[in-house]
Amino acid sequence: MPDTVTQSQAAPLVTFRPPAKTPSLFEQIRIARENGMATIPVGAYQNLFFPMAKNNKVVVLSDPAGVKHVLLDNVANYPKTPSDAPFLSAAFGDGLLTLEGEKWKAHRRLMSPSFDHRSIVSYAPGMVEATRHFVESWDQRGPGAEIDIAEAMTELTLKIITRAMFSSDSGGITELFGKTFDEGLKEMEFGLADILPIIGPRHLQGRIKKIRAVFSRLDSAVYKLIDERVKAGGEGKADLLGRLIAARDVETGAALTNQEIRDEMVIIFIAGHETTAVAMTFAFYILSQRPEVEARLHEELDRVLGGRMPVYDDLANLPYTRQVIDETMRLYPPAPGLSGRQAQADDEVCGQKIPKGAQMFIAPWIIHHHEKLWENPYEFDPDRFTADKVKARPRFAHMPFGGGPRVCIGASLAMTEACLILATIAQRYRLALVPNQQISIRSRITLRPHPGIRMTLSRRGS
């Protein structure tokens, strides 16, 4: 067990902070290509309501009560901004991420049973089994072996989501999904040509066409899986694909079409592995830099599990494990920015007049690092998430999965997966950061370390 160190002795964690003064336009464009969130002015971290244009036409909103108003209380007045829809639809089709109105409500009703408590409990054994097999592959490497933890966690979470969705690898579709997401993410990167007069709109249309082409490579494989499952009479199979095929709207009795199943599968597959992979990457990075946190985690795991594999029911007895995940997702939210919202009618938020057409930006990264919401916001402290502190804190001060009716449908699934992965790996291995690395953080659709995080493996107790 590592020696305990005080917070003041620990090395600062890699992060990015807001610029002290607003960069020039060209500097913002340069920074945005690497990390879009790094262009947000420091005032957004100091003011809960921060106008970025005259007359509140563009606002960065971090006030929990204001966020609740926009995402929950008056959500009908704030659909996603039209500019986001073409990119998201090109990649993911018409699913929960892109739909609006009554069609979104119908899809949400259809899919909710696949993510209820009973379903999540049924997925848990597969999560643990996949993680156990993955860790056993580390056993073959020998002490001191070096890995890129970002690559490793992506590989693991891809295996887990594949098992949850299809009960198996289904002919190499894991690699196909992973490659598609990586290529698609590159096409979604911001560039100077996107905002230039005249050529900007044409350039954007070209990028949308490329994104659609990248994701269309999935279609033949995905439709083949759907057709085979239906023909085999496997609609009732207890994986996500079987549940989506068998799902019926409780109000209308309608089922999802094959195209709708494809669109939802793509969203679930990509969101279901990427966000958890990001959280686990940063969790193990943090543990390597915070021995006092790692020691408390190990004590809890050793006391509760005693060396055996965790099961779902153990999670209730592993509060500190959950606190480590919650604080990791505060400091490094996997999805650092939400889609913008556009006011359909005049409104009032935080005592400020909001005109029709105004754009409201709600970013978990800013909220999670806001000076008025968190003490020492760039420090890692799992005790922020004790039950008493969570109860006392405003609901929308911590929102790694969004909020309101459109909160991520897989939030509970992702948290269960993250806690089980951490419990399985951390009781068997410690990971040490390879020294003298140049690590930075890139914020695009998700938060990723660049170029990765190299770590060495050490069996606990050896």
Side-chain angles (χ1 to χ4, degrees), residues 135-158:
V135 172
E136 287 176 351
S137 72
W138 285 358
D139 295 343
Q140 309 305 314
R141 294 171 176 256
E146 184 177 309
I147 64 168
D148 181 333
I149 190 62
E151 288 183 359
M153 291 300 99
T154 297
E155 180 183 350
L156 172 58
T157 57
L158 275 170

Side-chain angles (χ1 to χ4, degrees), residues 370-388:
H370 205 287
E371 295 179 10
K372 292 188 176 179
L373 297 175
W374 304 92
E375 184 178 356
N376 299 320
Y378 291 92
E379 293 294 336
F380 185 81
D381 180 10
D383 285 332
R384 300 181 200 268
F385 289 92
T386 61
D388 289 343

Side-chain angles (χ1 to χ4, degrees), residues 46-86:
Q46 299 170 336
N47 300 279
L48 295 172
F49 184 97
F50 184 72
M52 295 185 67
K54 291 182 179 180
N55 301 319
N56 294 336
K57 291 181 179 179
V58 180
V59 173
V60 176
L61 181 64
S62 300
D63 178 76
V67 172
K68 179 175 179 289
H69 177 83
V70 170
L71 296 184
L72 182 61
D73 298 337
N74 198 20
V75 64
N77 191 50
Y78 293 96
K80 294 183 178 181
T81 53
S83 59
D84 290 330

Side-chain angles (χ1 to χ4, degrees), residues 187-400:
E187 294 296 340
M188 293 180 183
E189 292 179 7
F190 178 80
L192 175 61
D194 295 330
I195 62 172
L196 291 177
I198 302 175
I199 69 169
R202 292 182 61 185
H203 187 261
L204 286 171
Q205 287 302 314
R207 287 177 59 204
I208 290 170
K209 186 176 180 180
K210 289 180 180 178
I211 294 168
R212 189 175 289 115
V214 168
F215 278 85
S216 68
R217 298 171 194 165
L218 288 170
D219 290 352
S220 60
V222 171
Y223 284 125
K224 181 181 178 182
L225 283 172
I226 296 170
D227 290 339
E228 288 177 349
R229 181 68 64 84
V230 172
K231 290 176 181 177
E235 297 91 334
K237 199 168 184 178
D239 56 21
L240 279 167
L241 174 56
R243 292 171 190 268
L244 291 179
I245 292 172
R248 298 293 182 270
D249 191 321
V250 295
E251 293 187 9
T252 66
L256 293 170
T257 66
N258 283 9
Q259 181 176 341
E260 289 172 330
I261 292 173
R262 175 268 180 204
D263 294 345
E264 298 297 1
M265 284 172 60
V266 171
I267 294 170
I268 294 168
F269 198 100
I270 291 174
H273 91 270
E274 174 70 9
T275 55
T276 308
V278 169
M280 299 315 302
T281 294
F282 285 111
F284 285 111
Y285 161 69
I286 291 166
L287 291 172
S288 75
Q289 301 302 291
R290 295 292 182 269
E292 77 286 359
V293 174
E294 186 183 53
R296 285 183 62 183
L297 175 67
H298 287 167
E299 187 282 326
E300 178 177 85
L301 295 176
D302 294 345
R303 172 170 42 82
V304 175
L305 300 178
R308 63 172 172 80
M309 291 294 103
V311 297
Y312 181 86
D313 288 344
D314 288 320
L315 298 182
N317 298 315
L318 297 172
Y320 194 71
T321 303
R322 170 66 185 257
Q323 288 171 220
V324 169
I325 298 296
D326 278 329
E327 175 68 347
T328 298
M329 297 182 80
R330 182 197 68 83
L331 195 60
Y332 299 108
L338 297 180
S339 299
R341 301 298 197 267
Q342 188 166 41
Q344 300 301 290
D346 292 348
D347 196 14
E348 183 175 304
V349 177
C350 300
Q352 299 282 333
K353 299 295 184 182
I354 303 299
K356 178 182 178 180
Q359 295 189 25
M360 310 293 287
F361 290 96
I362 299 167
W365 178 273
I366 298 174
I367 292 172
H368 291 184
H369 296 85
H370 205 287
E371 295 179 10
K372 292 188 176 179
L373 297 175
W374 304 92
E375 184 178 356
N376 299 320
Y378 291 92
E379 293 294 336
F380 185 81
D381 180 10
D383 285 332
R384 300 181 200 268
F385 289 92
T386 61
D388 289 343
K389 289 185 179 179
V390 170
K391 186 177 181 180
R393 189 160 46 239
R395 176 179 172 187
F396 286 88
H398 183 246
M399 45 185 302

Side-chain angles (χ1 to χ4, degrees), residues 97-115:
L97 193 62
T98 55
L99 292 172
E100 297 283 353
E102 292 303 317
K103 194 167 184 179
W104 173 84
K105 291 179 182 178
H107 273 234
R108 187 83 179 197
R109 287 195 303 267
L110 272 163
M111 295 183 64
S112 289
S114 298
F115 297 91

